[in-house]
Amino acid sequence: MQWGDTSLVKSELLAFRMALKQGKYEYLHLLSGQDLPLKDQDYIHGFFNSLKKGINLVGFAQGEFNKNDLAEKTDYYHFFIGKYRYPLRYIRGLFTVYRNTMVHLQKTIGFKRKWDMKLYKGSEWVSITSEFAKYLVDNEDLILKMFRYVSCADEIYKQTFIMASPYKETIFDTTLDFAGMTVKSTGLAGVHTHGIAMILMS
């Protein structure tokens, strides 16, 4: 599993698949291996119990910077993404020169990739329902094919697929931070009982 590479997308989808096999959970939480919940279980469960059933917490990046960043990562083919952090500096440098040269060449000739879906970008870390997780797993082949040469696809595929799915209406647009639990006011209400599966990605 390499930073910025589709191997990270594969790992996430595998984690979702394995969690779904363990039983029925209301939510699957994708967290960084560096995330440490500072609130107790009762507080965390209480927060999710306050949400309307079926809500997916998926963050979307806003602003001109993120718009340009999304275009840079998806308009062109990015090769050798998995070598971004190759341990040998000189070899890593060669891959970087080749990758940057290929992107520059695509820009020079006016090439841009065509997409059948509108693309979105946001945080890799999400809290999603088992139903949406299954939707992603069921579309694994398409996801991996679409994002094979996209840089940091882990920050793009979940947002893109939820916006192109029936789950679009279930989005709670925020990045959930268990340390502060700061969220936007959405008017969503309702109480339900759920299980929580924590998926840690280091």
Side-chain angles (χ1 to χ4, degrees):
M1 184 171 65
Q2 299 293 329
W3 181 89
D5 187 43
T6 49
S7 60
L8 186 52
V9 176
K10 290 181 182 179
S11 297
E12 289 185 5
L13 293 171
L14 176 60
F16 290 147
R17 186 186 302 277
M18 296 303 295
L20 291 170
K21 287 182 178 179
Q22 298 306 308
K24 174 63 176 177
Y25 296 101
E26 286 290 321
Y27 281 98
L28 305 182
H29 302 282
L30 190 60
L31 304 175
S32 164
Q34 296 178 347
D35 285 333
L36 175 66
L38 299 181
K39 299 292 185 178
D40 61 30
Q41 287 288 316
D42 290 340
Y43 188 96
I44 295 173
H45 280 270
F47 172 82
F48 283 95
N49 283 334
S50 72
L51 299 177
K52 183 179 178 180
K53 185 174 177 64
I55 292 300
N56 286 283
L57 294 98
V58 179
F60 287 79
Q62 308 293 325
E64 195 65 22
F65 171 83
N66 286 299
K67 178 181 178 181
N68 294 335
D69 184 60
L70 176 62
E72 182 71 18
K73 291 174 177 176
T74 59
D75 281 351
Y76 314 105
Y77 287 93
H78 294 262
F79 300 104
F80 297 112
I81 300 172
K83 307 301 182 183
Y84 274 158
R85 297 184 176 179
Y86 196 83
L88 297 179
R89 185 178 62 181
Y90 298 111
I91 295 179
R92 183 173 69 243
L94 290 174
F95 282 123
T96 299
V97 170
Y98 175 80
R99 184 176 61 252
N100 291 342
T101 299
M102 293 303 296
V103 170
H104 178 73
L105 177 61
Q106 292 172 77
K107 292 180 179 180
T108 300
I109 64 176
F111 173 84
K112 285 190 177 182
R113 299 182 68 175
K114 304 293 184 182
W115 293 93
D116 295 329
M117 293 183 185
K118 181 175 174 58
L119 303 176
Y120 296 87
K121 174 180 179 287
S123 174
E124 176 184 0
W125 317 120
V126 296
S127 293
I128 61 176
T129 61
S130 290
E131 290 77 15
F132 179 54
K134 183 177 185 303
Y135 179 83
L136 291 174
V137 168
D138 289 345
N139 283 280
E140 179 174 4
D141 290 343
L142 177 59
I143 290 170
L144 295 178
K145 180 180 179 180
M146 283 179 59
F147 294 102
R148 181 179 179 186
Y149 296 111
V150 170
S151 178
C152 298
D154 52 292
E155 299 176 351
I156 302 171
Y157 83 95
K158 294 183 288 291
Q159 286 77 6
T160 296
F161 268 74
I162 198 169
M163 288 296 290
S165 77
Y167 299 99
K168 176 181 178 179
E169 303 303 321
T170 71
I171 297 171
F172 187 104
D173 181 9
T174 187
T175 298
L176 179 62
D177 183 348
F178 286 169
M181 303 298 281
T182 302
V183 299
K184 299 177 182 178
S185 175
T186 63
L188 299 174
V191 177
H192 65 280
T193 304
H194 59 81
I196 295 179
M198 296 291 190
I199 301 174
L200 298 180
M201 306 294 291
S202 58

